Amino acid sequence: MKDPETSMPSNFIRNIIEEDLKTNRHQGRVATRFPPEPNGYLHIGHAKSICLNFGLAADYNGTCNLRFDDTNPSKEDTEYVESIETDVRWLGFDWEDRLYYASDYFEKFHEYAVDLIKASKAYVCSLSPDQIREYRGTLTEPGKNSPFRNRSVEENLALFERMRAGEIDEGACVLRAKIDMASANLNLRDPVIFRIKHEAHHRTGSRWCIYPMYDYAHCISDALEGITHSICTLEFEDHRPLYDWCLDQLNVPCHPQQIEFARLNLSYTIMSKRKLLKLVQSGLVNGWDDPRMPTISGMRRRGYTPVSIRNFCERIGVAKRDSVVDLALLEYCVREDLNKIAPRVMAVLNPLRVVIENYPEDRVEMLDAVNNPEDPSMGIRQVPFSRVLFIEQDDFMEDPPKKYFRLAPGQEVRLRYAYYITCVNVIKNEAGDIVELRCVYDPESRGGTTADGRKVRGTLHWVSARHSISAEVRLYDRLFNRENPDAGGADFTEHLNPRSLEVLTECRMEPSLGAVEPGSRYQFERLGYFCAEPVEFSKDRPVFNRTVTLKDSWARIAQKG
RNA sequence: UGGGGCGUCGUCAAGCGGUAAGACACAGGAUUUUGGUUCCUGCAUCCGGAGGUUCGAAUCCUCCCGCCCCAGCCA
């Protein structure tokens, strides 16, 4: 996928751009834009578009604008524009001074509409919404001309002026482009380009009561900004003739080329803004930034890094065929980054008390532990060891299967960076639950090795009971238990994974974890990558979110039996 | 049944007439004080199907099949 000379991934959009550059099609410029509608939070699918648009600009020495496509006041809000700016910046992209709003062009849109009317290319149609639909025809039958299609320029101008002045009710009339009611492309059957909405806009307030439609506003916005390559998703392919038609009628600065690519689909995930909104509004998740959400803010809160998301977006490629990317690739990308940068630390999620019988009651040793074996520059730290410890409940089995090389009666294991221990007794309560393990340690094994060089297969993480802090850990898993939550007719909410969040409140951790920065990321050895809860973490109540587990080949072996 | 797209490994995805890249996943093996990481090895005689053109086709032509999108005064 990489071109050996440039080391850039190859895709059809790059091919188009390179061809355009070669033929000097846009005066050798590359100008893209990311044009979100501020009606929801950005998700991983938007990240694909952001990486594409900003990435192309960066690679071809061009520019990428951030433009809010805010032409529908009923759905949009400043809360969303703020979150979008935050998320794009967090992903690592910079629009410099090129922050635009379609609403800044409202006056222009109006002027161009007047031009269209004067050229008899647009008319005010007084059909009702229902009638417009009837007149539009169907997929297989042509539409009929509106009875208002041949109003005079003067009448249209006057009516359009009255629309703008607020003298006409919503729905009573619209401005339509005069194209071809018999076109096989429904988008060309005299599309509405301005509608009346007596509604305040989050930026223009009550200055306007007519608002432009997407097809009309988007192409003009692109042209006004000097965009060369207007990249959008596949469903707009049918709209391209309209995009081109508008620009061809108008005296605009340039004519950008629209290029469509397939939007991202991810297994076990939904990407529709409407459905994500439903999850939020119904309380099925805790807001747009719930760590289970595929939103940028949710992933940030979950512990994902910008680097990992950018790498993911590069690896999935760009093409025109509908596809569903395996969630495993996303997880691979976070692990890859976190493996390099996350300090290792020991935390016990489900503590099991271990008493080292031959270790002195009052003794405490500070043992050296490596912060990151992948990066020696991250140094070492000291962890306290004492007679009473906690290990993971999963790391002990009274009657272990073959190939289980963790702790079991009579079986020797290594406590990471500490000593070899052997279990000599198992203490249970009346219910038969294991409540404590009695072990003995080998004083000669300090640090985790012995002079005799004997092999110990299992290495466990642990924490000194007396020195550990207690903390809450939120184990996040995929939100849906179906690869395609939308398949099979049933409502997608029926496929929610009931175990997408498990909260553990009795976890015990290395003391240093009590005072870390919210949002900071760690590898809990042998368990996974976790981050200090970005908004709720406090010294009084440490909370960690699991970003992703470590690969667990033991789980695979154990499952096979 | 109209129009617009798309069909290459389980999942993404290069390839643009010269004889199927890469990544993830998966399966083996080596190293390992994380059953993590790393490292080897394997994994499409075949490119939706059938014909045709050609010395030669995933790439060109023809027909067929399948999937996606379009009938908002949403974007």
Side-chain angles (χ1 to χ4, degrees):
Chain A
M1 214 165 114
K2 297 261 187 181
D3 178 325
E5 281 174 40
T6 60
S7 125
M8 282 178 192
S10 152
N11 66 50
F12 80 101
I13 297 181
R14 283 175 186 278
N15 293 344
I16 290 172
I17 291 178
E18 272 158 33
E19 187 59 27
D20 289 345
L21 254 19
K22 210 174 294 170
T23 59
N24 209 34
R25 177 155 178 197
H26 302 280
Q27 306 91 229
R29 289 187 309 121
V30 172
T32 59
R33 98 269 94 115
F34 173 60
E37 181 187 15
N39 68 343
Y41 280 61
L42 260 25
H43 54 61
I44 183 74
H46 293 107
K48 176 180 181 182
S49 172
I50 292 166
C51 291
L52 215 208
N53 281 293
F54 279 93
L56 251 14
D59 292 344
Y60 292 101
N61 221 290
T63 53
C64 179
N65 301 347
L66 172 61
R67 179 173 73 230
F68 288 100
D69 211 344
D70 54 350
T71 57
N72 184 355
S74 14
K75 292 187 174 179
E76 299 151 6
D77 194 89
T78 46
E79 175 197 351
Y80 298 125
V81 346
E82 282 159 18
S83 76
I84 289 168
E85 290 189 40
T86 300
D87 290 348
V88 175
R89 239 184 242 115
W90 179 77
L91 279 173
F93 298 101
D94 185 4
W95 54 87
E96 297 173 317
D97 58 350
R98 298 179 311 279
L99 172 62
Y100 302 112
Y101 293 84
S103 54
D104 284 342
Y105 311 138
F106 280 177
E107 198 62 56
K108 275 285 188 189
F109 296 147
H110 177 84
E111 285 171 24
Y112 281 124
V114 169
D115 290 347
L116 241 26
I117 293 172
K118 287 180 176 164
S120 283
K121 294 290 174 52
Y123 62 97
V124 173
C125 179
S126 303
L127 250 22
S128 71
D130 282 347
Q131 289 172 312
I132 286 186
R133 191 179 335 108
E134 284 163 26
Y135 275 70
R136 187 157 29 225
T138 69
L139 293 178
T140 51
E141 302 158 44
K144 294 182 300 197
N145 282 171
S146 161
F148 304 100
R149 201 171 199 258
N150 291 316
R151 288 220 252 227
S152 70
V153 169
E154 293 66 33
E155 189 182 3
N156 281 321
L157 252 15
L159 248 17
F160 190 45
E161 200 39 48
R162 288 187 57 214
M163 283 171 64
R164 175 180 187 171
E167 294 167 18
I168 302 179
D169 290 341
E170 270 185 44
C173 60
V174 291
L175 185 69
R176 291 228 251 169
K178 192 188 288 185
I179 309 181
D180 176 9
M181 288 308 290
S183 173
N185 182 342
L186 300 258
N187 295 117
L188 263 18
R189 319 243 261 226
D190 289 10
V192 173
I193 59 179
F194 263 99
R195 79 287 216 183
I196 298 169
K197 273 178 181 280
H198 291 285
E199 209 166 331
H201 184 279
H202 66 103
R203 291 191 79 244
T204 60
S206 51
R207 272 209 297 288
W208 294 89
C209 58
I210 53 173
Y211 294 92
M213 297 290 288
Y214 167 86
D215 289 303
Y216 175 75
H218 203 91
C219 55
I220 294 175
S221 301
D222 283 343
L224 293 176
E225 291 175 19
I227 299 302
T228 56
H229 303 269
S230 178
I231 300 168
C232 62
T233 42
L234 252 28
E235 67 273 26
F236 292 104
E237 210 146 20
D238 283 344
H239 296 237
R240 188 171 0 122
L242 179 51
Y243 183 103
D244 290 331
W245 183 89
C246 286
L247 296 183
D248 287 343
Q249 310 311 310
L250 269 10
N251 186 24
V252 287
C254 64
H255 191 137
Q257 77 185 113
Q258 177 177 304
I259 302 171
E260 311 84 12
F261 72 100
R263 56 164 11 111
L264 170 67
N265 293 299
L266 243 196
S267 58
Y268 300 100
T269 308
I270 54 165
M271 219 66 93
S272 137
K273 271 197 202 177
R274 203 200 92 238
K275 289 173 184 166
L276 293 175
L277 212 213
K278 183 177 173 184
L279 289 177
V280 173
Q281 289 180 334
S282 61
L284 261 13
V285 296
N286 305 311
W288 285 101
D289 67 343
D290 185 301
R292 293 166 294 185
M293 292 283 273
T295 51
I296 303 302
S297 53
M299 294 173 72
R300 174 166 61 234
R301 194 163 175 184
R302 173 95 167 237
Y304 273 79
T305 60
V307 169
S308 65
I309 294 175
R310 279 188 255 125
N311 284 160
F312 171 75
C313 291
E314 186 167 308
R315 282 185 171 117
I316 56 177
V318 180
K320 295 197 68 156
R321 71 182 83 105
D322 291 313
S323 60
V324 182
V325 174
D326 193 340
L327 221 211
L329 180 60
L330 216 210
E331 297 186 334
Y332 170 84
C333 291
V334 229
R335 291 191 185 107
E336 178 189 43
D337 188 31
L338 261 13
N339 177 49
K340 286 186 278 199
I341 66 171
R344 275 53 284 225
V345 105
M346 291 196 284
V348 176
L349 267 29
N350 296 293
L352 172 58
R353 192 178 149 92
V354 170
V355 177
I356 313 295
E357 295 186 330
N358 58 341
Y359 196 87
E361 201 96 41
D362 53 356
R363 182 136 123 215
V364 176
E365 288 179 90
M366 296 305 288
L367 301 166
D368 289 343
V370 175
N371 287 330
N372 189 343
E374 304 296 316
D375 181 1
S377 76
M378 290 175 77
I380 59 171
R381 67 187 186 286
Q382 294 199 307
V383 290
F385 183 87
S386 64
R387 179 180 161 91
V388 183
L389 313 169
F390 288 118
I391 65 166
E392 211 66 63
Q393 285 171 21
D394 283 350
D395 285 337
F396 175 80
M397 276 186 102
E398 204 172 6
D399 186 20
K402 278 198 180 56
K403 289 192 284 191
Y404 181 87
F405 35 87
R406 278 118 98 144
L407 198 59
Q411 190 157 304
E412 186 174 53
V413 299
R414 170 168 40 234
L415 292 180
R416 181 140 232 232
Y417 302 125
Y419 292 100
Y420 292 173
I421 62 170
T422 304
C423 177
V424 294
N425 202 194
V426 180
I427 315 284
K428 297 180 182 174
N429 62 15
E430 307 79 54
D433 307 318
I434 298 169
V435 295
E436 181 178 301
L437 263 24
R438 309 295 288 194
C439 296
V440 294
Y441 85 115
D442 176 358
E444 300 303 306
S445 64
R446 189 176 200 271
T449 52
T450 52
D452 64 11
R454 71 177 185 271
K455 288 277 178 273
V456 172
R457 288 301 301 274
T459 299
L460 312 185
H461 61 280
W462 54 275
V463 104
S464 165
R466 177 144 61 94
H467 306 273
S468 64
I469 59 156
S470 66
E472 174 176 321
V473 170
R474 300 177 181 168
L475 300 178
Y476 291 105
D477 197 357
R478 51 179 61 135
L479 225 204
F480 295 93
N481 48 28
R482 287 284 178 80
E483 254 186 69
N484 179 1
D486 284 321
D491 188 85
F492 71 100
T493 56
E494 286 177 30
H495 304 309
L496 281 163
N497 174 7
R499 288 196 295 269
S500 60
L501 169 58
E502 187 184 351
V503 181
L504 267 23
T505 55
E506 310 290 323
C507 309
R508 309 291 302 191
M509 305 182 176
E510 272 186 38
S512 64
L513 255 11
V516 298
E517 279 301 306
S520 54
R521 308 176 180 93
Y522 304 89
Q523 183 197 99
F524 288 0
E525 292 217 38
R526 303 209 305 132
L527 298 173
Y529 295 98
F530 295 73
C531 73
E533 220 304 320
V535 337
E536 292 175 34
F537 183 95
S538 75
K539 289 178 172 57
D540 299 331
R541 181 162 169 268
V543 179
F544 291 85
N545 293 337
R546 181 172 70 195
T547 308
V548 66
T549 61
L550 249 29
K551 265 177 61 181
D552 189 354
S553 50
W554 165 242
R556 193 180 301 280
I557 295 166
Q559 210 168 40
K560 282 190 212 160

